[in-house]
Amino acid sequence: MILAIVIMVTLTVAIAARVLAPRLAGDRVLFEQSPDHPSPFGYRMAWLAVRSRDTEAVAKELGLVAPEPCNWRSGIGTVYDNHLGNDHVFVSPPVNGWTFVVGLALPFPAGRTFTDKAMPMLRRLGDRFVEVQYFFAYPPIDCFAWARVLDGRVVRAFAITDSGIMWNRGRITREERGLGLKLFDFRGVRGRKGDAGGEIVFYPTEKHVLSLAKRWSIDPSGLENVEIPTPALGLIALAPASWKPERANKTGMKKAG
């Protein structure tokens, strides 16, 4: 499954690169604006799933900078690009009632020494839209997260990094329980003490995050199989400067949410 996702993402990025490369005007990238069908994503990525058919309303609520029309192929290629992906996000056209916001520029639970900017963003979106979901899967730093906001209330939020658990709000959902521990990889032991061992820590995998996304809304790694009425355009935009990681104030360090 993971190998298939890697192959799909690699192909998506390669195709998008061929589209983007010839369309550079000075320092400005001219994004492809020919409507197309959904492109898959999910591997080493962060995304929001917002229950809304209004792409522009989602972009506006997030405070995105300089949004412009962009198709799926170019948008997903951009957020996976080593340079453009640092500060761009792609807001998709709706798919079965869900609008995706995709990109590593989204706020994420960076650790206890950093201000949590992801939870305030989710709460703000939750005040505007009936349901908001957040997913993050990035194995190189052992960072995995998921959250669900319903009717303005955070019903579940879990995040773990190589520094430990960052979020653990609300009860474990039925969908999480249904996945079972067999979808977790054993990565190591924390706090080992001599031969007696120590606390065992289980880390989720990308497969776990994508499987949960499928049960809560849509698994984005399979979007190429989702039928939509007509090809459409989304928006590509710069992330607001307020999303950039910021070290917490040591004198009053307090996690948001």
Side-chain angles (χ1 to χ4, degrees):
M1 176 65 177
I2 297 300
L3 178 59
I5 295 172
V6 174
I7 293 173
M8 285 189 294
V9 168
T10 301
L11 290 174
T12 298
V13 174
I15 293 171
R18 293 185 64 181
V19 172
L20 289 170
R23 298 179 61 79
L24 296 174
D27 294 331
R28 184 170 181 269
V29 178
L30 302 180
F31 299 100
E32 180 63 44
Q33 296 184 4
S34 299
D36 61 357
H37 291 273
S39 295
F41 63 88
Y43 176 74
R44 293 191 179 189
M45 188 50 61
W47 71 95
L48 295 166
V50 182
R51 189 179 287 278
S52 173
R53 297 181 182 274
D54 193 335
T55 301
E56 292 186 0
V58 173
K60 182 177 180 180
E61 192 65 33
L62 286 169
L64 301 182
V65 179
E68 57 181 296
C70 176
N71 67 13
W72 279 94
R73 183 172 58 179
S74 187
I76 296 302
T78 296
V79 297
Y80 272 104
D81 184 87
N82 289 334
H83 300 290
L84 296 175
N86 292 330
D87 54 9
H88 283 81
V89 293
F90 175 62
V91 187
S92 78
V95 178
N96 293 342
W98 294 94
T99 293
F100 295 104
V101 184
V102 191
L104 291 175
L106 283 166
F108 63 94
R112 293 182 177 87
T113 59
F114 289 86
T115 300
D116 183 354
K117 297 187 176 184
M119 190 59 67
M121 174 192 68
L122 292 174
R123 289 184 178 279
R124 185 168 60 254
L125 283 175
D127 288 339
R128 172 67 173 79
F129 302 100
V130 66
E131 183 170 2
V132 179
Q133 299 172 10
Y134 173 88
F135 301 95
F136 185 79
Y138 203 79
I141 57 173
D142 271 336
C143 188
F144 303 90
W146 52 88
R148 192 177 195 180
V149 182
L150 287 171
D151 297 322
R153 185 171 65 92
V154 179
V155 296
R156 179 61 174 152
F158 181 84
I160 188 169
T161 72
D162 54 4
S163 299
I165 294 175
M166 299 294 105
W167 296 341
N168 192 10
R169 298 177 58 86
R171 294 183 178 181
I172 297 176
T173 64
R174 178 178 57 188
E175 293 83 3
E176 288 173 87
R177 292 186 185 279
L179 292 175
L181 285 176
K182 63 183 180 181
L183 294 183
F184 285 76
D185 275 351
F186 175 69
R187 297 293 183 83
V189 177
R190 295 286 194 272
R192 180 178 291 278
K193 298 179 180 179
D195 295 334
E199 178 189 4
I200 297 177
V201 176
F202 289 92
Y203 279 83
T205 65
E206 287 172 306
K207 183 177 180 180
H208 178 269
V209 176
L210 290 167
S211 295
L212 185 60
K214 181 178 181 179
R215 296 185 180 210
W216 279 2
S217 51
I218 298 175
D219 174 0
S221 69
L223 279 175
E224 78 280 10
N225 298 318
V226 176
E227 294 185 6
I228 59 173
T230 57
L233 290 175
L235 296 170
I236 193 76
L238 291 167
S242 60
W243 285 2
K244 292 183 178 180
E246 181 181 356
R247 289 196 174 275
N249 187 337
K250 292 183 179 181
T251 59
M253 192 180 298
K254 186 177 181 180
K255 290 189 289 184

